[in-house]
Amino acid sequence: MLAAVMLLMAGCKGVGTEQCDSKQEETKTEGKVVVMPPYNFSEQIQYGNHNIEYRLERVAEDSVLVTDPETEERYADNLYVLTIVKDGDAFFNRKFSKADFRPYLDGGFRKYGILDGFRFSEVKDGNLLFGVCISYPDSDMSAPFVVTVYKDGKFGIKVDDILDVDEDADGV
């Protein structure tokens, strides 16, 4: 129980921690629904002899609304599209939603959480790792995950259970 509480308090710590929060601009309210702004990011990385470009796009999923139980404010959930090009060829393209992480979420995050962070973390053993967060809107309560895109183009999801206490000590 204590480990679960520490995990929630840590937010998106561990793999991709500093890259987990993709809130580049303030959220905005559109007709009583809080919507995070669109987000587009791309980066090229070199791994061995491979030139890899990944692109992340966040769009509001207006059809999926989450209501804060305390304030009754409504929030639009998000979709992230991850596209990876390897050595000039299409390698990976997938849309991620909170539903992809549902098997790993407790009831509170299933009902009140939104997909609010998805960022590149590192290349490890030729696989691309991304830090992902499902969070209660406008709070630091989050469930962190690692999405791994494997060398063969398949992907996996696991709970990020690594707490990075040093990062908090540095104030990052």
Side-chain angles (χ1 to χ4, degrees):
M1 180 69 126
L2 179 60
V5 171
M6 289 177 54
L7 181 64
L8 290 176
M9 289 174 40
C12 291
K13 301 299 176 213
V15 174
T17 302
E18 66 280 359
Q19 308 208 5
C20 200
D21 182 17
S22 61
K23 297 177 187 174
Q24 297 298 312
E25 300 174 31
E26 289 297 314
T27 57
K28 60 183 178 176
T29 303
E30 291 181 359
K32 299 184 182 182
V33 175
V34 179
V35 178
M36 291 176 70
Y39 172 82
N40 290 293
F41 182 80
S42 66
E43 182 177 35
Q44 291 190 2
I45 54 176
Q46 195 71 30
Y47 180 73
N49 295 330
H50 298 289
N51 182 27
I52 298 168
E53 178 183 7
Y54 70 88
R55 295 180 211 122
L56 282 166
E57 176 186 6
R58 176 183 63 214
V59 293
E61 189 174 24
D62 297 333
S63 63
V64 179
L65 299 179
V66 173
T67 303
D68 184 314
E70 293 178 14
T71 66
E72 295 190 14
E73 194 160 28
R74 295 183 319 156
Y75 295 83
D77 205 343
N78 299 298
L79 289 173
Y80 279 85
V81 179
L82 173 61
T83 304
I84 300 172
V85 176
K86 183 176 178 182
D87 299 327
D89 296 323
F91 177 70
F92 185 86
N93 189 328
R94 188 169 195 291
K95 223 180 254 189
F96 288 90
S97 71
K98 182 173 75 174
D100 293 306
F101 303 89
R102 209 174 237 318
Y104 311 100
L105 296 171
D106 69 20
F109 281 104
R110 281 186 189 143
K111 189 170 183 177
Y112 304 115
I114 62 171
L115 177 58
D116 76 346
F118 200 120
R119 292 293 182 100
F120 173 72
S121 177
E122 66 179 319
V123 178
K124 185 174 183 180
D125 300 325
N127 303 313
L128 302 171
L129 279 60
F130 294 83
V132 179
C133 286
I134 306 290
S135 300
Y136 283 78
D138 292 329
S139 82
D140 59 359
M141 296 278 292
S142 63
F145 297 92
V146 177
V147 170
T148 302
V149 178
Y150 298 102
K151 296 178 217 181
D152 63 2
K154 294 180 182 174
F155 76 96
I157 297 173
K158 71 173 194 164
V159 173
D160 185 359
D161 56 1
I162 300 172
L163 297 177
D164 190 347
V165 180
D166 292 339
E167 216 169 281
D168 286 339
D170 294 340
V172 177

